[in-house]
Amino acid sequence: MLRLTIIVAATKSNGIGQNSQLPWRLAKEMAYFARVTSLAPTGCSNAVLMGRNTWESIPTKFRPLRNRLNIVLTRNTGLDVSQRGSACIDGSLEAAIVRVHSEPHSIHRAFIIGGASLYTEGLALPPSSVGFVDRILLTRILSPAFEECDVFMPDFLGGTQGTNGWTMATHDALQEWVGFDVTEGVQEENGVEYEFQMWVRQP
């Protein structure tokens, strides 16, 4: 059964954006995102699910994200996503999940890539759902704090109440799942410190 994976870069206070853009410029982190969401066995591809604002935040020349099925969730059926490559529109997360499972070409993995409301909706799917989110690939932005963030993802760990059923996987497990070597520990790029993490939960 195909599960959903959230992939996101977030500060320690779960900030993910400012003025509809990323507050940081991290080329290595973006390369990691591209490789994780693109890598699939021969004959398969991955799907990336996103809201309209996330779609529009991607520079025109880079969308649709190549070598991936782009599914834009919006009720605006007039939105043009047909520049080139593989992209389509669905009106709900449920419809997008149905599309992923009914694609004529085999979908290897499906990723939710933003924004905040879609992360919230995905995390709320029940364990019985075919679209249950059982994994979060989190690039944790450690410093600076980026206090100017005005968009936040849900605190999936439940704040001070514990880990809310989530467990941080080992770095070896992260590498095994993504299928390539990933730099371990805290990294620094353009004055920003961050770390690649993978969190998992059981249905």
Side-chain angles (χ1 to χ4, degrees):
M1 182 179 293
L2 187 67
R3 299 298 192 181
L4 295 179
T5 297
I6 284 175
I7 184 166
V8 62
T11 66
K12 290 190 287 187
S13 61
N14 295 309
I16 60 174
Q18 179 192 9
N19 298 326
S20 300
Q21 298 292 331
L22 293 175
W24 43 78
R25 291 291 179 267
L26 304 173
K28 293 178 182 178
E29 199 279 328
M30 290 301 296
Y32 169 81
F33 167 88
R35 190 172 183 186
V36 168
T37 56
S38 298
L39 190 62
T42 302
C44 299
S45 62
N46 295 329
V48 286
L49 284 60
M50 70 195 86
R52 179 182 57 82
N53 290 339
T54 298
W55 168 262
E56 293 181 342
S57 73
I58 301 170
T60 303
K61 65 180 179 179
F62 294 127
R63 67 188 193 207
L65 298 175
R66 63 178 182 173
N67 301 323
R68 287 152 281 185
L69 172 63
N70 290 228
I71 304 178
V72 184
L73 275 63
T74 177
R75 292 183 177 87
N76 178 9
T77 56
L79 180 68
D80 181 13
V81 299
S82 61
Q83 291 100 325
R84 62 188 183 281
S86 180
C88 54
I89 289 175
D90 277 316
S92 68
L93 180 56
E94 290 75 13
I97 292 170
V98 169
R99 182 187 294 274
V100 166
H101 282 83
S102 62
E103 269 295 301
H105 302 293
S106 179
I107 297 296
H108 177 53
R109 289 172 175 164
F111 296 89
I112 295 178
I113 68 170
S117 61
L118 192 53
Y119 290 142
T120 300
E121 189 176 357
L123 286 167
L125 291 170
S128 58
S129 168
V130 293
F132 181 67
V133 174
D134 67 352
R135 190 176 313 269
I136 297 178
L137 297 179
L138 171 65
T139 300
R140 181 63 87 186
I141 307 296
L142 300 171
S143 69
F146 289 100
E147 295 178 353
E148 66 275 17
C149 283
D150 55 17
V151 180
F152 299 83
M153 73 171 294
D155 182 8
F156 68 96
L157 295 177
T160 58
Q161 304 304 311
T163 58
N164 210 23
W166 290 91
T167 302
M168 189 165 77
T170 65
H171 188 75
D172 286 345
L174 165 62
Q175 292 188 128
E176 181 179 0
W177 193 83
V178 299
F180 57 86
D181 291 339
V182 178
T183 304
E184 185 174 6
V186 178
Q187 303 175 64
E188 190 277 334
E189 185 177 356
N190 293 336
V192 178
E193 292 187 336
Y194 61 92
E195 181 180 32
F196 296 122
Q197 301 176 357
M198 182 170 74
W199 292 80
V200 296
R201 67 174 173 177
Q202 299 300 317

